[in-house]
Amino acid sequence: GIQVEQSPPDLILQEGANSTLRCNFSDSVNNLQWFHQNPWGQLINLFYIPSGTKQNGRLSATTVATERYSLLYISSSQTTDSGVYFCAVERIGGSRLTFGEGTQLTVNP
Amino acid sequence: NAGVMQNPRHLVRRRGQEARLRCSPMKGHSHVYWYRQLPEEGLKFMVYLQKENIIDESGMPKERFSAEFPKEGPSILRIQQVVRGDSAAYFCASSPPSGREQYFGPGTRLTVT
């Protein structure tokens, strides 16, 4: 099956700092999504981004499908950004999302 | 437009009992997916259903687990004779017929005592 690797596994920031999270995948995909799992366990859809660049407030994401990676940028981080960020992909011809192991982000005040 | 609904949000069962988890997809969505998140782990695919059809159940454990999505009503994930290792968060997602983006519900947290 398709492999999804996220880096870094853990990240600790001071409030106001910027960060970049990376997602590498091993096969061509027709779906890539970024999620934030908050400390209460809820999964929040951040981006649907199989290719290209999108921005939503302080968050933006870029997927370079030909090179099989995606980046999630968080600017001016806030304590409420803390949680686990998951990348999930669906390979071409597939019907399921395969999740990476996540990046645990802690933003300190 | 309400999001994906799951109930109950928390479920406690004793070993050997049955657990029934319900999922109502977003309006207009006909595709339903179930994922399981074991403690301190990522999410793993279990099953993909369309109305009255199981499309892909390759992620389902071979015994005790079943899923359905009837013509009317919510999708049901049923776990018979639960064991402690079934304790996890179970997430349901839905997508529209014409799209690939999956929208996730709040999850059901199952605890087996």
Side-chain angles (χ1 to χ4, degrees):
Chain A
I2 192 168
Q3 305 299 313
V4 183
E5 294 183 356
Q6 291 187 243
S7 60
D10 297 278
L11 186 58
I12 300 175
L13 300 174
Q14 286 299 122
E15 204 167 21
N18 302 329
S19 62
T20 300
L21 283 58
R22 186 176 181 103
C23 172
N24 293 333
F25 43 96
S26 61
D27 205 345
S28 299
V29 300
N30 56 14
N31 181 3
L32 187 146
Q33 294 183 240
W34 282 97
F35 299 91
H36 173 214
Q37 188 166 41
N38 64 23
W40 296 271
Q42 291 184 308
L43 269 178
I44 312 298
N45 280 39
L46 296 178
F47 293 103
Y48 167 71
I49 188 166
S51 64
T53 298
K54 289 186 177 179
Q55 180 158 6
N56 184 4
R58 295 182 297 104
L59 302 182
S60 63
T62 294
T63 297
V64 184
T66 53
E67 298 187 21
R68 299 183 182 170
Y69 73 89
S70 182
L71 302 174
L72 177 69
Y73 306 96
I74 305 174
S75 64
S76 304
S77 58
Q78 301 175 358
T79 56
T80 52
D81 294 332
S82 296
V84 182
Y85 288 79
F86 288 107
C87 166
V89 303
E90 176 188 336
R91 66 172 177 80
I92 291 176
S95 58
R96 65 173 75 176
L97 286 176
T98 299
F99 282 75
E101 293 299 306
T103 292
Q104 174 77 56
L105 175 64
T106 302
V107 181
N108 292 321
Chain B
N1 187 8
V4 178
M5 310 280 283
Q6 289 190 248
N7 67 82
R9 297 290 303 278
H10 300 274
L11 182 62
V12 179
R13 285 287 179 265
R14 291 182 177 161
R15 280 179 297 171
Q17 291 184 320
E18 179 178 285
R20 287 178 138 227
L21 288 61
R22 293 174 181 76
C23 168
S24 296
M26 288 179 69
K27 187 176 181 181
H29 288 196
S30 56
H31 299 195
V32 166
Y33 312 80
W34 286 93
Y35 295 83
R36 178 167 69 174
Q37 185 176 31
L38 294 169
E40 307 300 325
E41 293 188 14
L43 284 80
K44 299 287 194 286
F45 167 81
M46 300 182 74
V47 63
Y48 163 40
L49 311 102
Q50 296 177 15
K51 286 283 188 183
E52 300 184 282
N53 283 303
I54 297 175
I55 306 302
D56 179 359
E57 59 181 346
S58 57
M60 288 275 272
K62 292 289 184 279
E63 299 178 349
R64 302 185 297 107
F65 285 71
S66 63
E68 62 177 5
F69 188 17
K71 186 176 180 181
E72 301 292 337
S75 175
I76 307 287
L77 179 67
R78 183 182 294 108
I79 311 171
Q80 297 178 301
Q81 299 176 316
V82 296
V83 301
R84 288 220 172 110
D86 297 332
S87 294
Y90 292 81
F91 288 92
C92 169
S94 71
S95 66
S98 58
R100 310 207 76 89
E101 183 176 4
Q102 295 185 24
Y103 297 80
F104 280 74
T108 293
R109 276 144 189 86
L110 172 66
T111 301
V112 179
T113 60

